[in-house]
Amino acid sequence: MTDTLERLADEGVAPWLDDLSRERLAGGWLSRLVSQQGVVGITSNPTIFDRAIGSGPHYDAQIADLARRGVGVAEAARLMTAYDVRWACDILRGVHETSGGVDGRVSIEVDPRLAHDTGATLAEARGLWWLVDRPNLFVKIPATREGLGAISAALAEGISVNVTLIFSLDRYDQVIGAFLDGMEEAHTAGRDLSSIASVASFFVSRVDTETDNRLDKLGSSQAQALRGRAALANARLAYEHFERARAGDRWQALEAAGMRPQRPLWASTGVKDPSFDDTRYVAGLVAPDVVNTMPEATLRAVEDHGEITGDTVHSTYAESQQILDDLDVAGVSYHDVVTTLEDEGVRKFADSWSDLFRTLEKELRAAGTHGPSG
């Protein structure tokens, strides 16, 4: 592990990677990141898989077999992504065991087009949990209103869940409630709570992108002074909500029964604005018991020149709340920003899933089939 990532881990931050492809699996890339650089988890999404499957020959043999069997696009997507995630789970199994089941996790996402259908999301989560069949899997479920019930139900059945696409503090509170509901049901059913894990993926950089676009349109000096401050403030306040929930009676009772904490996971930590430091969403969100999942470019930047100076969250709560208040005064509605981002996030992930289907349909045709589109 590099010195910077080691300091990050010493502060309680688990460095995960937001990327996965069969080419890198086969070439030993992930194994090296785990053994040499201290990466202890992987997240994936439809965009990552679309990019991976659409480039290079590493999927050709499986696509040819699927084509010969007449497998449709939807099922082909499940089988191919599950194959990669299962492989990554096996690589990270040692981390999972040595960390006592805390890390060594790999995430696979339910079809985001189901994000507003509770029953279908739960059915897909069950199917993916069965298909990958690894104890260190996370099934990613979006934190939509309809997704909350699926999150509780999946956890109650013993399925470990990565709750994704969280932008607002109110929604995060609802996610924590859904987590506790599910764990209480699991406990009532006699399940081993220590075998069930969850993280809550709070998206970061997109908050600055959306907020700063609105501030730039306002153009005032007050607005310009707030550029680049919303995302860190929002995430830091989310950590305060995590601490508050963890100190509550429901959480404490479940922890006494063996429940693991649902850790906050900082997602979307790649910096979009080139005027910002490229490690700001890592160095600025250091606190105990969190995960930071980084694109490879961000991971390399942190290794190369990241400055980890200790906890950068606990002393910021009052300042962070003031930033959100000042945004409202300046004319940028926090509620509208986070609502827009949730709707846009679901739509973008669904579009990425459709792009993946189109890529696979093209590949299956080229392999000699005109299977159904799913």
Side-chain angles (χ1 to χ4, degrees), residues 269-308:
T269 56
V271 173
K272 309 294 193 295
D273 189 326
S275 69
F276 295 159
D277 178 78
D278 55 2
T279 68
R280 64 183 286 131
Y281 301 127
V282 180
L285 291 172
V286 176
D289 295 320
V290 301
V291 175
N292 195 307
T293 184
M294 300 169 247
E296 186 176 7
T298 303
L299 180 73
R300 300 299 185 194
V302 170
E303 288 180 311
D304 181 65
H305 53 266
E307 295 184 9
I308 307 303

Side-chain angles (χ1 to χ4, degrees), residues 136-217:
N136 51 331
L137 177 70
F138 270 140
V139 177
K140 290 174 75 174
I141 299 178
T144 57
R145 284 187 298 274
E146 299 84 356
L148 295 171
I151 291 160
S152 295
L155 290 166
E157 294 181 14
I159 298 171
S160 294
V161 176
N162 176 346
V163 184
T164 189
L165 287 176
I166 307 171
F167 295 95
S168 80
L169 296 169
D170 286 345
R171 180 69 83 215
Y172 180 43
D173 288 340
Q174 294 169 358
V175 166
I176 293 172
F179 167 66
L180 295 175
D181 287 345
M183 297 306 286
E184 285 171 343
E185 289 184 47
H187 184 47
T188 299
R191 296 188 184 278
D192 176 8
L193 298 189
S194 68
S195 69
I196 309 168
S198 183
V199 291
S201 294
F202 210 90
F203 279 52
V204 183
S205 67
R206 296 189 195 185
V207 175
D208 269 344
T209 300
E210 180 66 24
T211 303
D212 289 355
N213 285 340
R214 298 182 185 212
L215 290 169
D216 289 343
K217 289 176 182 177

Side-chain angles (χ1 to χ4, degrees), residues 46-47 109-115 165 343-358:
T47 302
E109 187 150 1
V110 300
D111 185 336
R113 299 174 304 170
L114 307 175
L165 287 176
D343 293 342
E344 183 182 82
V346 172
R347 185 173 64 253
K348 283 183 174 180
F349 272 19
D351 289 346
S352 295
W353 202 252
S354 297
D355 290 342
L356 171 60
F357 275 26
R358 282 191 288 271

Side-chain angles (χ1 to χ4, degrees), residues 41-254:
I42 296 288
T43 52
S44 64
N45 61 50
T47 302
I48 289 171
F49 280 122
D50 180 45
R51 184 171 62 242
I53 292 171
S55 60
H58 289 82
Y59 295 89
D60 290 354
Q62 188 178 14
I63 288 172
D65 285 345
L66 293 168
R68 292 186 189 100
R69 293 169 51 206
V71 174
V73 171
E75 189 59 21
R78 290 187 191 92
L79 293 171
M80 294 176 71
T81 56
Y83 186 99
D84 285 4
V85 168
R86 188 183 306 112
W87 190 345
C89 281
D90 289 343
I91 290 172
L92 282 155
R93 186 66 173 267
V95 174
H96 179 68
E97 292 172 352
T98 57
S99 68
V102 175
D103 285 308
R105 299 276 175 174
V106 185
S107 296
I108 190 170
E109 187 150 1
V110 300
D111 185 336
R113 299 174 304 170
L114 307 175
H116 297 296
D117 186 328
T118 304
T121 294
L122 178 58
E124 185 80 356
R126 289 169 177 152
L128 292 171
W129 185 253
W130 170 85
L131 184 61
V132 176
D133 192 27
R134 293 294 186 271
N136 51 331
L137 177 70
F138 270 140
V139 177
K140 290 174 75 174
I141 299 178
T144 57
R145 284 187 298 274
E146 299 84 356
L148 295 171
I151 291 160
S152 295
L155 290 166
E157 294 181 14
I159 298 171
S160 294
V161 176
N162 176 346
V163 184
T164 189
L165 287 176
I166 307 171
F167 295 95
S168 80
L169 296 169
D170 286 345
R171 180 69 83 215
Y172 180 43
D173 288 340
Q174 294 169 358
V175 166
I176 293 172
F179 167 66
L180 295 175
D181 287 345
M183 297 306 286
E184 285 171 343
E185 289 184 47
H187 184 47
T188 299
R191 296 188 184 278
D192 176 8
L193 298 189
S194 68
S195 69
I196 309 168
S198 183
V199 291
S201 294
F202 210 90
F203 279 52
V204 183
S205 67
R206 296 189 195 185
V207 175
D208 269 344
T209 300
E210 180 66 24
T211 303
D212 289 355
N213 285 340
R214 298 182 185 212
L215 290 169
D216 289 343
K217 289 176 182 177
L218 291 173
S220 66
S221 58
Q222 180 188 25
Q224 289 303 299
L226 289 166
R227 288 191 86 259
R229 304 189 72 189
L232 289 176
N234 194 41
R236 287 164 172 170
L237 289 172
Y239 190 83
E240 183 184 27
H241 285 229
F242 162 68
E243 287 191 308
R244 187 183 306 142
R246 193 172 185 178
D249 291 342
R250 292 180 70 194
W251 191 301
Q252 290 289 309
L254 286 164

